[in-house]
Amino acid sequence: MQAGWTGSARPGDRIGPYTVLSELASGGMGRVYVARSPGGRTVAVKTLLTSDGGNIAPDDRRRFAREAALAQRVHGPFTAGIVAADAEAPVPWIATEYIPAPSLRDLVVSRGPLPVEALPWIAAGTAEALVGIHAAGLVHRDVKPSNILLPGDGPRVIDFGISQAADLTRTGTALGTIPFAAPEQARGEPTTPASDVFSLGATFFFLVTGRSPYRGMGEGTAMEQLVRAAEADLDLTGLPAGAAALIRPCLAVEPAARPTPGALLALVEPVLAARPRAHGAAAWLPDDWSDAIERHRRQRTEEADEARRTVGPDAATARTPRPAPPRTRRLPRPAPARRRTGPLLGVALAALLAGGGGVYLLSRPDEPLVVRQDLRLALVEQSEQGECTDKLAPPTFYDKKQNICYRISTRDADRMSVRRLKQVRTQFDTQFAVMVTFEEGDGQRFSALTARAATRQPPQNQIAIVLGDRLISAPLVNSRIDGDEMQISGAFNRTEADSLVKELGG
């Protein structure tokens, strides 16, 4: 790597001693690569994006070096261990243990909320991870479902190595973090270990309900949502009684009233001790969750193995990576607030504009995109594990990644076709998703469809997104989604997301 390098690499390039096999993800903070160590170990290497022609301020570099050194002191079975880091590289990087596992967010979106009985197992691992992170002098600052992976032997908290080095590329609260940020964090105040505990409680709430504990997350503008978080506008309806004793204390508005991670661990330890023979996902999780974890592991492992074969151990690794082409960041459109925001409005707006959110345009906003005539959305009527058979009457669609067959509704009120989109773009928050912006009429129909879905019981509260004869995704809907945007997620890698964007007219 040479001066001026921006953090973009290709298979065969070298980052420090690691040979890049493939790009795993890319977003507002940086890029993540699957790489091979000289001894053959598979690792994840994260490079931080630069904002000034590849230059990084000396203070930022010193901050990164300090946080990376602290992160290397974190050891434990429930974190993604830091293997190595280089704060003096043209673009600082961190190499971590590679964990081929889905995130908690992906599992809830694809499988629905977690049964309360399984929560203590995940809570114990994540609380123990925070104990180790805080003991090393770190505050994570970005605990959320997409930053907790779930392999079969227990959860792994990731991204703590660059959590406090985030000032390299952004300040304040990132858009994707608002639903899980502590109120003081949303206000731009200093964060503490207690802020991580709130975010962990919000993550637990999402696990068992499928939504954020804040009122109206996903409704209105991003600025309005940030203000709700800053004002601690909580809505805990639907919290199962069996999870309340664990979750409610974490969501205390005052940081001093929240339990420590050690106290959380002590609370769930007796539950685990009562089942001494219960080990791993198969013993604690629903079968469909365990099956999804194993399928993800196999897929990611096979992809890494194939990349190894393609690159080869003797492949040239000294090339200087080409800089990525410039991208245009989209700022949210101003909109009048629906509720009084008071003096917090200025703070919220500043944090909103500072937080990048990792959203980029792939087309000019003033050029409507013509999409294929067969993009359809429809409510799910039935679902069944495995490939589609005669058990479900047509129309049925098979989700290969999740190994689920869905039968969709044929009622006009339960479906819509989309002829044209205003925008198509990628969004990255640990994993790729595709964001589409509807024209005004379709946006209203989409909101009405989500309102219908939110009143139904699983699996009928899912909306199947169908392109031609192919099911793209079937997200769960727990509340009406107002606005003209829809996120299409499905554990996409970069190639899959780019391909879908092109199919949709990008």
Side-chain angles (χ1 to χ4, degrees):
M1 296 182 295
Q2 298 177 356
W5 185 57
T6 61
S8 175
R10 298 166 295 171
D13 290 330
R14 178 171 286 181
I15 301 175
Y18 303 104
T19 302
V20 172
L21 300 177
S22 62
E23 182 171 323
L24 184 63
S26 178
M29 275 293 293
R31 292 183 172 87
V32 185
Y33 301 96
V34 179
R36 176 186 181 277
S37 75
R41 180 179 182 181
T42 302
V43 298
V45 179
K46 305 179 183 184
T47 64
L48 299 183
L49 295 180
T50 62
S51 58
D52 182 20
N55 297 320
I56 296 176
D59 286 346
D60 290 337
R61 194 177 290 277
R62 283 192 293 270
R63 185 183 301 113
F64 175 86
R66 175 183 177 276
E67 301 303 337
L70 288 174
Q72 287 178 282
R73 292 163 46 186
V74 177
H75 300 288
F78 300 111
T79 55
I82 305 295
V83 178
D86 187 355
E88 300 303 321
V91 175
W93 55 264
I94 289 181
T96 68
E97 174 189 4
Y98 176 58
I99 302 170
S103 70
L104 295 183
R105 177 190 178 279
D106 293 333
L107 289 165
V108 171
V109 168
S110 65
R111 297 301 172 199
L114 180 74
V116 172
E117 300 77 26
L119 181 61
W121 179 64
I122 294 176
T126 50
E128 184 172 330
L130 284 188
V131 169
I133 292 169
H134 294 166
L138 284 166
V139 178
H140 191 294
R141 295 184 175 177
D142 203 16
V143 175
K144 57 186 176 181
S146 57
N147 270 345
I148 301 174
L149 305 182
L150 190 60
D153 58 350
R156 301 290 197 281
V157 176
I158 64 172
D159 275 0
F160 58 87
I162 57 175
S163 56
Q164 294 199 199
D167 290 337
L168 285 167
T169 55
R170 61 179 180 180
T171 58
T173 303
L175 297 182
T177 305
I178 294 172
F180 306 99
E184 66 272 14
Q185 190 175 2
R187 293 192 293 266
E189 299 170 0
T191 53
T192 67
S195 306
D196 284 348
V197 171
F198 184 99
S199 297
L200 188 61
T203 295
F204 294 162
F205 187 90
F206 174 82
L207 275 179
V208 297
T209 67
R211 67 175 180 86
S212 163
Y214 287 119
R215 189 182 311 278
M217 280 295 144
E219 300 176 3
T221 66
M223 184 178 67
E224 290 175 293
Q225 295 175 53
L226 183 62
V227 170
R228 291 182 198 127
E231 294 182 342
D233 188 5
L234 296 172
D235 174 13
L236 303 186
T237 56
L239 175 62
L246 176 66
I247 294 175
R248 280 186 178 275
C250 298
L251 300 178
V253 175
E254 294 299 325
R258 299 168 198 157
T260 65
L264 292 177
L265 188 56
L267 185 62
V268 297
E269 275 183 325
V271 180
L272 274 63
R275 298 181 58 187
R277 297 181 183 276
H279 300 292
W284 287 95
L285 302 180
D287 289 344
D288 58 342
W289 276 55
S290 297
D291 292 344
I293 290 169
E294 176 57 22
R295 282 197 302 275
H296 190 104
R297 184 197 65 79
R298 288 199 304 265
Q299 178 185 347
R300 294 302 191 206
T301 301
E302 290 170 1
E303 289 173 352
D305 289 344
E306 177 60 28
R308 283 171 178 264
R309 289 189 291 269
T310 301
V311 172
D314 299 322
T317 59
R319 299 195 306 272
T320 300
R322 297 173 182 170
R327 287 170 165 173
T328 303
R329 188 178 296 276
R330 180 179 69 92
L331 294 179
R333 294 188 300 270
R338 299 179 181 176
R339 57 198 302 270
R340 187 188 65 82
T341 59
L344 289 176
L345 178 61
V347 175
L349 179 59
L352 176 66
L353 295 179
V359 181
Y360 298 92
L361 284 180
L362 292 182
S363 61
R364 289 176 53 190
D366 57 346
E367 291 183 355
L369 300 175
V370 179
V371 301
R372 289 167 47 162
Q373 301 288 322
D374 48 4
L375 174 62
R376 292 171 289 156
L377 281 65
L379 298 185
V380 170
E381 287 293 339
Q382 292 177 269
S383 66
E384 183 178 90
Q385 194 74 32
E387 296 187 25
C388 295
T389 65
D390 293 338
K391 292 182 181 179
L392 296 183
T396 58
F397 295 89
Y398 177 55
D399 186 334
K400 183 177 180 181
K401 285 189 175 182
Q402 304 298 335
N403 192 33
I404 297 178
C405 178
Y406 294 98
R407 181 172 76 83
I408 65 173
S409 174
T410 58
R411 292 186 292 271
D412 289 343
D414 294 345
R415 51 196 290 141
M416 61 178 286
S417 296
V418 182
R419 294 179 176 273
R420 185 182 293 271
L421 295 171
K422 285 185 178 179
Q423 295 176 20
V424 182
R425 60 193 181 278
T426 60
Q427 175 173 287
F428 175 72
D429 183 6
T430 299
Q431 293 199 10
F432 281 99
V434 173
M435 296 294 295
V436 301
T437 303
F438 297 112
E439 292 191 330
E440 183 176 355
D442 283 339
Q444 295 171 351
R445 293 166 62 204
F446 172 66
S447 293
L449 193 64
T450 62
R452 290 179 62 83
T455 64
R456 295 154 58 108
Q457 297 298 314
Q460 294 180 327
N461 62 342
Q462 291 177 260
I463 293 180
I465 303 172
V466 178
L467 186 59
D469 59 357
R470 184 168 101 255
L471 179 74
I472 301 301
S473 183
L476 213 64
V477 180
N478 290 302
S479 62
R480 178 189 177 101
I481 301 174
D482 291 319
D484 57 0
E485 288 192 335
M486 176 182 71
Q487 181 187 80
I488 305 176
S489 60
F492 301 130
N493 58 33
R494 183 177 186 177
T495 300
E496 292 168 334
D498 287 347
S499 177
L500 179 56
V501 166
K502 290 179 180 178
E503 287 189 84
L504 292 173

